[in-house]
């Protein structure tokens, strides 16, 4: 985290995010798949994105870190734009090399934990607030990723009829 005098310096954080994004060598126009492949190539681990039902959960996105792969879970009912934001946010944690701050024991009962125990998981992260350095860094980078994704959009639909088209029209 870039901190000057006890406060986050947004300009320095943005520059640090831009530097990390520059390492991906993404084309001017790129897709979600291009982004995932670029991050996987940079970090040397497979990245899998899985939709799951997270309604009523503490978060709309979750990342599990393994030695050989990263698994990103996102709310299956999220709009295309929200899905991109969730995935970009979790990919940003990977780019910042955040290890994961969630203690599953705080979220589940002992019985639930016993049924889920997977000793190959090295870390878990989920956005539950914007108060930690890791969440501020990941959100800034996710915002910059979406800006770059939409930078190449020529024109939105002339008459957006569904929610995804309306969101695309707003951000293009």
């Amino acid at each position: 985290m870039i901190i000057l005098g006890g406060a986050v310096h947004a300009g320095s954080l943005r520059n640090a995010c831009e530097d990390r994004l520059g390492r991906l060598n993404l084309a001017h126009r790129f897709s979600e798949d291009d982004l995932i492949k670029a991050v996987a190539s940079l970090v040397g681990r497979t990245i899998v994105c899985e939709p799951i039902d997270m309604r009523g959960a503490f978060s709309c996105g979750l990342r599990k870190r393994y030695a050989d792969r990263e698994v990103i879970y996102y709310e299956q009912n999220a709009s295309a734009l929200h899905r991109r934001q969730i995935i970009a946010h979790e990919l940003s944690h990977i780019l910042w090399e955040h290890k994961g701050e969630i203690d599953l024991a705080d979220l589940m009962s002992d019985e639930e934990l016993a049924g889920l125990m997977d000793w190959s998981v090295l870390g878990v992260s989920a956005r539950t607030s914007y108060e930690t350095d890791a969440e501020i860094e990941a959100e800034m980078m996710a915002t910059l990723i979406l800006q770059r994704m939409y930078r190449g959009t020529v024109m939105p639909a002339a008459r957006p009829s569904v929610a995804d088209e309306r969101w695309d029209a707003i951000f293009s």
Side-chain angles (χ1 to χ4, degrees):
M1 173 55 68
I2 312 302
I3 299 181
L4 297 175
V8 175
H9 188 273
S12 297
L13 176 56
R14 183 183 180 106
N15 290 340
C17 290
E18 293 282 1
D19 178 60
R20 280 175 171 73
L21 289 176
R23 297 177 201 165
L24 297 177
N25 296 317
L26 290 163
H28 176 69
R29 294 183 73 173
F30 62 93
S31 68
E32 187 177 296
D33 287 339
D34 295 334
L35 175 64
I36 293 166
K37 288 175 187 172
V39 174
S41 176
L42 183 69
V43 300
R45 290 187 303 281
T46 300
I47 298 175
V48 178
C49 297
E50 295 285 336
I52 62 172
D53 185 357
M54 297 182 80
R55 289 175 296 182
F58 60 93
S59 179
C60 55
L62 179 75
R63 169 184 148 238
K64 286 186 180 178
R65 184 172 53 89
Y66 298 84
D68 63 338
R69 70 191 182 285
E70 302 274 352
V71 180
I72 294 172
Y73 299 98
Y74 61 89
E75 169 52 49
Q76 67 188 7
N77 296 306
S79 69
L81 177 66
H82 192 200
R83 182 193 69 242
R84 279 185 222 122
Q85 177 70 24
I86 294 165
I87 291 171
H89 180 95
E90 298 305 332
L91 289 171
S92 296
H93 280 299
I94 295 167
L95 289 169
W96 276 98
E97 300 177 11
H98 295 153
K99 303 300 182 206
E101 301 175 356
I102 302 298
D103 185 347
L104 291 178
D106 292 337
L107 304 173
M108 300 177 173
S109 69
D110 290 344
E111 186 176 283
E112 289 171 315
L113 276 173
L116 290 177
M117 234 4 135
D118 179 351
W119 295 105
S120 62
V121 175
L122 299 176
V124 176
S125 65
R127 178 176 42 182
T128 56
S129 74
Y130 296 100
E131 296 174 4
T132 67
D133 291 351
E135 292 305 320
I136 293 168
E137 291 165 349
E139 196 61 20
M140 170 68 87
M141 187 172 294
T143 299
L144 294 175
I145 287 169
L146 287 185
Q147 284 177 345
R148 287 185 178 197
M149 287 178 98
Y150 284 100
R151 178 172 40 195
T153 301
V154 178
M155 294 290 287
R159 294 183 182 188
S161 60
V162 295
D164 287 347
E165 288 178 354
R166 288 191 293 273
W167 281 111
D168 282 343
I170 290 170
F171 282 94
S172 61

